[in-house]
Amino acid sequence: MKREDLLKEIHNHGNEFDILVIGGGATGLGVAVDAATRGYKVVLLEQNDFAKGTSSRSTKLVHGGVRYLQQGDIQMVIGALRERGRMSRNAPHLVKNMRFIIGNYKWWEQPFYTIGLTLYDMLAGKLGLGKSLPLTKKLIYKEIPCLKKGGLKGGVVYHDGQFDDARMAIALAQTAVDYNGICLNYVRVTGLLKDSSDKICGVNAVDTLTGESYSFKTKIVINATGVFVDEIMRMDKPGAKKKVRPSQGVHLVVDSKFLGGNSALMIPKTKDGRVLFGVPWHGKVVLGTTDTPLDTPLLEPRPLDEEVDFILDQAGQYLDLKPTKADVLSAFAGLRPLAASTDTDSKKTKEISRSHKIYKSQSGLLTITGGKWTTYREMAEETVNIAIEMCKLIPKECITKNLKLHGYLENTDDSTWNYVYGSDAEKIFELIKENKENEVLLHNDYTFTVAHVIWAVREEMAQTVEDVLARRVRVLFLDAKAAIEVAPKVASVMAKEMNKPKEWEEHQIMDFTNLANGFLLN
């Protein structure tokens, strides 16, 4: 999947498509996969890198939403559990079954949560991942040795999915391309084209890497830009009312010693009424999340001090070893595109529905917003069905319910980084066989090699050091200090692979270091 090859493909299509998608996060990529696998001519344009925003900054869960069950949103939970099962089945190399532990410190909690989670299992039906069960104190400590021992009476185990969000996004882009779709990063839409009837018939766009301008003709434009959907809607209709309420979620990454086992921790009720997770991920633990309403969407949001303090305080109440700011290896923030306008200020964002919303404008712009990673496929199917109807495309059946995503491979060993590549891992080993220098580690504490950087450039459209270290090999999210240390090596490998001058290397190192410093707390 080379970017330059896909740019050439645009010309082969005569810059004319059935469906044009704006936005390269989970939703937009899902739409591109759905449309391409049905046989439609589809192009996706992303202004930055795939999953640069919200879609690389999740809690790394593929889940039905235990909290939504508490709130009584049964239909949403059923839909999400069904999609969780499909995601696990269609991308087993990326979605893993994880055991979640709820420690019980009051006598009534174990029967209460056991009953609730048994209902959770029942709602999943045949697509369930495992059975929820009550556990003794002894078994709880075996699962999470570092759980607070004072007052523990027992606990409950349930099953949900864990995944790598940015790697899933890359797999979706590759899948769309496998089915003759075109997915381009660093192409920003600058305006919507309209015909004499004031109907949208295309877009103007610019390649932000080269400055080259493009005009695309299309039968329909789908706006899937997450927290930025309002910007595109205002291109269509200046002064259009806001449809999205951004909510910031922060996560802190700490050493695995804070849990001490392979199971995840779920704290069912924090002082703000949310749940808090401690999730094992690539040898570290992700703690989160928060829910802070924001007025303005940002491409690179930053954790607020109070959000960091909240997570550390709440996690510390349930762990024997209490994490501090000095223990945080990486702190990242993502913005949820909650489908609610700013006139709902009286509502707490945790109470706003996570279900998605679809808007159709008079000029034919189709906007999809809200939702979550787990339901990306279902959202895409619904959106493409509406698009077919709106622009009178020849109807074709959706096939994504049972579609094996790019890299599909069963029974991968998730004790090493290479599992995220699935069947492509063999090709990365070939790079090492070709040249032993490709086996050199980027950092002694991590298994990422020069070969992974070369693969990211050649096959995954990585254009910058940030693309590689944030979303192809995830070092920035695992250990920001280590990411800064390896940036010069990555820039050097990329410059050689992409035939870039020394000035490019220097700019890349400087830009990445400035970005990565924002992931550090001290």
Side-chain angles (χ1 to χ4, degrees):
M1 188 172 77
K2 286 186 182 292
R3 189 171 183 271
E4 52 268 36
D5 292 341
L6 294 175
L7 286 167
K8 289 174 191 169
E9 274 297 303
I10 289 172
H11 299 298
N12 293 341
H13 283 284
N15 286 37
E16 293 190 12
F17 295 88
D18 296 320
I19 294 172
L20 184 144
V21 185
I22 311 175
T27 307
L29 289 164
V31 170
V33 168
D34 189 291
T37 53
R38 295 196 205 205
Y40 297 121
K41 288 199 293 183
V42 60
V43 61
L44 177 147
L45 307 177
E46 162 57 45
Q47 67 171 338
N48 202 280
D49 186 31
F50 305 118
K52 157 72 175 177
T54 308
S55 297
S56 62
R57 299 159 186 259
S58 73
T59 316
K60 321 306 176 196
L61 300 182
V62 181
H63 63 135
V66 173
R67 180 162 57 87
Y68 311 131
L69 188 63
Q70 270 184 330
Q71 294 171 355
D73 198 344
I74 302 293
Q75 282 307 117
M76 185 179 184
V77 174
I78 291 171
L81 286 171
R82 184 175 56 218
E83 289 303 312
R84 180 193 70 178
R86 288 176 180 143
M87 216 166 151
S88 174
R89 189 174 61 198
N90 295 341
H93 60 301
L94 285 168
V95 180
K96 301 297 176 184
N97 183 352
M98 179 155 280
R99 292 168 68 86
F100 286 75
I101 303 298
I102 302 176
N104 302 149
Y105 294 88
K106 293 177 180 154
W107 69 267
W108 56 266
E109 288 180 332
Q110 191 174 62
F112 176 78
Y113 290 118
T114 301
I115 292 166
L117 291 165
T118 299
L119 174 60
Y120 192 62
D121 297 342
M122 287 169 62
L123 294 176
K126 292 178 181 177
L127 292 173
L129 299 180
K131 196 175 180 183
S132 298
L133 295 166
L135 295 181
T136 62
K137 281 198 292 185
K138 185 178 178 182
L139 287 171
I140 290 285
Y141 292 140
K142 192 174 178 183
E143 301 254 5
I144 302 183
C146 296
L147 190 65
K148 186 182 79 172
K149 294 173 177 61
L152 185 72
K153 300 189 183 313
V156 182
V157 60
Y158 74 96
H159 296 253
D160 249 329
Q162 184 257 35
F163 80 138
D164 188 303
D165 45 14
R167 292 302 320 178
M168 179 66 78
I170 299 303
L172 289 174
Q174 290 171 313
T175 304
V177 172
D178 289 344
Y179 282 86
N180 301 314
I182 295 174
C183 295
L184 293 167
N185 51 1
Y186 296 100
V187 177
R188 181 166 54 85
V189 170
T190 55
L192 303 174
L193 301 174
K194 295 185 178 181
D195 62 18
S196 56
S197 305
D198 206 32
K199 296 292 183 185
I200 293 172
C201 60
V203 305
N204 286 325
V206 63
D207 184 329
T208 61
L209 299 178
T210 66
E212 187 173 350
S213 295
Y214 292 89
S215 285
F216 296 88
K217 292 285 186 183
T218 183
K219 290 168 185 168
I220 192 163
V221 172
I222 296 176
N223 174 16
T225 52
V227 292
F228 298 102
V229 294
D230 290 320
E231 287 184 22
I232 304 298
M233 293 180 91
R234 283 174 180 166
M235 281 184 188
D236 176 33
K237 187 180 177 183
K241 188 178 174 183
K242 281 188 175 182
K243 301 296 185 187
V244 159
R245 176 84 182 277
S247 165
Q248 176 159 294
V250 166
H251 295 87
L252 309 179
V253 178
V254 295
D255 193 271
S256 60
K257 69 183 179 184
F258 287 96
L259 290 185
N262 296 320
S263 297
L265 172 66
M266 198 271 255
I267 299 168
K269 198 158 188 180
T270 60
K271 64 184 179 186
D272 78 339
R274 287 184 58 81
V275 299
L276 191 80
F277 290 101
V279 183
W281 186 64
H282 297 316
K284 304 287 191 250
V285 169
V286 178
L287 299 173
T289 182
T290 57
D291 206 340
T292 308
L294 296 183
D295 293 325
T296 308
L298 302 165
L299 194 58
E300 194 57 63
R302 293 280 185 253
L304 303 173
D305 287 342
E306 54 265 37
E307 291 177 302
V308 172
D309 292 341
F310 169 79
I311 293 172
L312 292 173
D313 171 66
Q314 294 297 289
Q317 290 183 32
Y318 288 84
L319 299 173
D320 272 344
L321 188 60
K322 300 183 189 310
T324 66
K325 282 187 180 179
D327 296 309
V328 176
L329 300 168
S330 183
F332 59 92
L335 302 185
R336 304 176 191 90
L338 301 189
S341 59
T342 50
D343 59 11
T344 60
D345 284 340
S346 60
K347 260 192 162 185
K348 292 179 181 176
T349 51
K350 71 183 177 66
E351 294 168 352
I352 298 172
S353 173
R354 261 46 173 181
S355 60
H356 63 278
K357 287 189 171 63
I358 295 177
Y359 303 97
K360 297 185 277 189
S361 79
Q362 286 184 329
S363 61
L365 178 68
L366 183 59
T367 297
I368 167 86
T369 189
K372 58 195 190 114
W373 247 118
T374 308
T375 54
Y376 87 89
R377 191 215 62 81
E378 187 176 53
M379 291 161 60
E381 179 181 357
E382 184 181 346
T383 304
V384 174
N385 284 343
I386 293 170
I388 291 167
E389 189 181 324
M390 282 176 67
C391 63
K392 306 292 189 288
L393 288 170
I394 297 169
K396 297 176 184 178
E397 286 296 311
C398 171
I399 66 166
T400 58
K401 283 179 183 174
N402 300 299
L403 179 74
K404 293 177 179 178
L405 296 186
H406 183 95
Y408 177 96
L409 187 66
E410 296 178 27
N411 304 317
T412 51
D413 177 10
D414 60 1
S415 65
T416 71
W417 166 252
N418 281 328
Y419 82 87
V420 300
Y421 300 99
S423 59
D424 279 346
E426 284 299 320
K427 297 169 187 172
I428 296 172
F429 292 135
E430 286 298 321
L431 289 175
I432 291 170
K433 284 181 190 173
E434 287 168 18
N435 186 342
K436 279 293 177 186
E437 288 181 13
N438 294 342
E439 196 175 12
V440 174
L441 292 175
L442 302 179
H443 193 286
N444 287 335
D445 292 343
Y446 297 93
T447 58
F448 310 120
T449 66
V450 169
H452 292 117
V453 180
I454 294 171
W455 181 260
V457 173
R458 289 184 189 175
E459 299 295 337
E460 297 177 346
M461 290 178 67
Q463 303 295 308
T464 69
V465 168
E466 181 196 339
D467 294 349
V468 172
L469 290 177
R471 291 171 292 279
R472 303 307 187 276
V473 299
R474 311 315 307 269
V475 186
L476 177 60
F477 285 75
L478 293 167
D479 187 337
K481 189 165 175 275
I484 292 168
E485 290 171 10
V486 302
K489 176 66 174 173
V490 173
S492 172
V493 173
M494 292 183 76
K496 184 179 177 184
E497 186 67 25
M498 300 166 74
N499 198 24
K500 297 287 187 183
K502 191 70 180 173
E503 299 81 50
W504 181 89
E505 272 188 67
E506 290 166 356
H507 279 299
Q508 284 292 308
I509 295 165
M510 184 173 65
D511 288 349
F512 180 77
T513 302
N514 289 337
L515 172 86
N517 278 326
F519 285 66
L520 291 168
L521 297 182
N522 43 38

